[in-house]
């Protein structure tokens, strides 16, 4: 069975005072039997060392070290206490021009550093409306997911770009179609394709989490806005525990 993962991506939000939210979450879910992953800004990773939750970076460089001003390597994230890192989030692809090849290189660096790479893929609204969703998913999966990957060190997050931060969510049928497609591609390429955790991301909230987690091949969620406050993230975690 794939691991169930409730993942929160704080993006460029959060200072030390916001770690109180982690304490609140610990009071509610400190002994959860699913994986709870928090990806705070890199500046807060080492300050999370006492949390029972898994901690992840939001990005890493593809190199181990070197002259890359402003960047953070996967080894550094691991040294700071992270066990996961997001790669290829659509905001990185858009804001920083990240290509599938770069996302694959970052994912390899993450795996080499002992991190689990959460590789993000998803179509834009234009691509969906012109019927290209599954082609885009195929291209991104083929290009971003390294051949050396396996279900222990990679997670796939399907995040339609048009659903991120917009309050718009695909229909359950649309989520089911893409997740089944991803599963089939993983099974065709990897012996343990059935074991990869597949997360859905994009405007997941307490009010829609249970129905999304009821969709076949959805093993959890990657949550942005609703992960910032314990009171918003908690119902999502509870819905995943019950799924
Ligand atoms: P959202 O973001 O939950 O705020 O839509 C999801 C993400 O970008 O991972």
């Amino acid at each position: 069975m794939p691991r169930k993962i409730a993942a929160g991506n704080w993006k460029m939000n959060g200072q030390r005072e916001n770690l109180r939210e982690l304490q609140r979450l610990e009071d509610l879910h400190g002994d959860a039997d699913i994986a709870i992953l928090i990806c705070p800004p890199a500046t807060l990773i080492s300050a999370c060392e006492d949390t029972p939750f898994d901690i992840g970076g939001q990005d890493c460089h593809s190199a181990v070290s070197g002259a890359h001003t402003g960047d953070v390597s996967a080894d550094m994230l691991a040294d700071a206490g992270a066990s996961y890192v997001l790669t290829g989030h659509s905001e990185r692809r858009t804001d920083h021009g990240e290509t599938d090849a770069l996302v694959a290189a970052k994912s390899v660096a993450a795996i080499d550093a002992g991190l689990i790479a959460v590789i993000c893929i998803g179509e834009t609204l234009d691509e969906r409306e012109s019927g290209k969703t599954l082609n885009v998913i195929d291209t991104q999966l083929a290009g971003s997911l390294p051949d050396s990957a396996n279900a222990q060190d990679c997670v796939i997050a399907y995040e339609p770009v048009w659903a991120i931060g917009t309050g718009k969510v695909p229909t359950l049928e649309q989520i089911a179609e893409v997740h089944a497609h991803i599963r089939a591609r993983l099974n065709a390429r990897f012996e343990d394709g059935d074991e990869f955790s597949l997360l859905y991301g994009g405007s997941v909230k307490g009010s829609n989490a249970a129905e999304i987690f009821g969709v076949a091949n959805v093993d959890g969620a990657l949550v942005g806005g609703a992960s910032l406050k314990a009171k918003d993230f908690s119902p999502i975690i509870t819905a995943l525990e019950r799924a």
Side-chain angles (χ1 to χ4, degrees), residues 182-191 193:
I182 294 170
R183 181 71 72 203
R185 287 290 184 262
L186 292 174
N187 275 328
R189 204 171 143 196
F190 300 98
E191 265 178 27

Side-chain angles (χ1 to χ4, degrees), residues 7-9 11 86 89-91 120 157 159-160 163-168 200-205 222-227:
N9 171 14
K11 309 193 179 183
L86 310 181
H89 189 283
S90 74
E91 287 153 14
C120 306
E159 299 202 296
I164 294 176
T166 59
K168 291 186 196 140
Y200 167 78
S203 297
V204 177
K205 307 186 276 279
L222 180 54
V223 183
S227 72

Side-chain angles (χ1 to χ4, degrees), residues 82-116:
S83 49
Y84 286 74
V85 62
L86 310 181
T87 58
H89 189 283
S90 74
E91 287 153 14
R92 299 289 316 174
R93 291 177 186 263
T94 305
D95 295 357
H96 300 271
E98 294 195 1
T99 61
D100 285 325
L102 181 59
V103 175
K106 289 182 175 205
S107 303
V108 169
I111 295 165
D112 288 349
L115 300 178
I116 298 173

Side-chain angles (χ1 to χ4, degrees), residues 66-210:
H68 303 289
T69 303
D71 280 312
V72 174
S73 74
D75 278 337
M76 291 169 179
L77 294 174
D79 182 55
S83 49
Y84 286 74
V85 62
L86 310 181
T87 58
H89 189 283
S90 74
E91 287 153 14
R92 299 289 316 174
R93 291 177 186 263
T94 305
D95 295 357
H96 300 271
E98 294 195 1
T99 61
D100 285 325
L102 181 59
V103 175
K106 289 182 175 205
S107 303
V108 169
I111 295 165
D112 288 349
L115 300 178
I116 298 173
V118 180
I119 303 174
C120 306
I121 58 176
E123 81 286 2
T124 63
L125 189 56
D126 264 6
E127 289 163 344
R128 174 156 288 272
E129 287 178 343
S130 52
K132 295 189 192 133
T133 298
L134 298 183
N135 292 339
V136 170
I137 295 299
D138 280 345
T139 304
Q140 291 184 341
L141 262 186
S144 304
L145 179 60
D147 287 330
S148 58
N150 65 57
Q152 300 311 310
D153 54 29
C154 278
V155 169
I156 305 295
Y158 167 57
E159 299 202 296
V161 178
W162 51 274
I164 294 176
T166 59
K168 291 186 196 140
V169 182
T171 64
L172 299 180
E173 290 71 24
Q174 288 171 328
I175 296 174
E177 180 188 35
V178 176
H179 277 243
H181 187 80
I182 294 170
R183 181 71 72 203
R185 287 290 184 262
L186 292 174
N187 275 328
R189 204 171 143 196
F190 300 98
E191 265 178 27
D192 60 355
D194 258 338
E195 299 294 319
F196 281 71
S197 299
L198 307 188
L199 311 185
Y200 167 78
S203 297
V204 177
K205 307 186 276 279
S207 55
N208 60 19

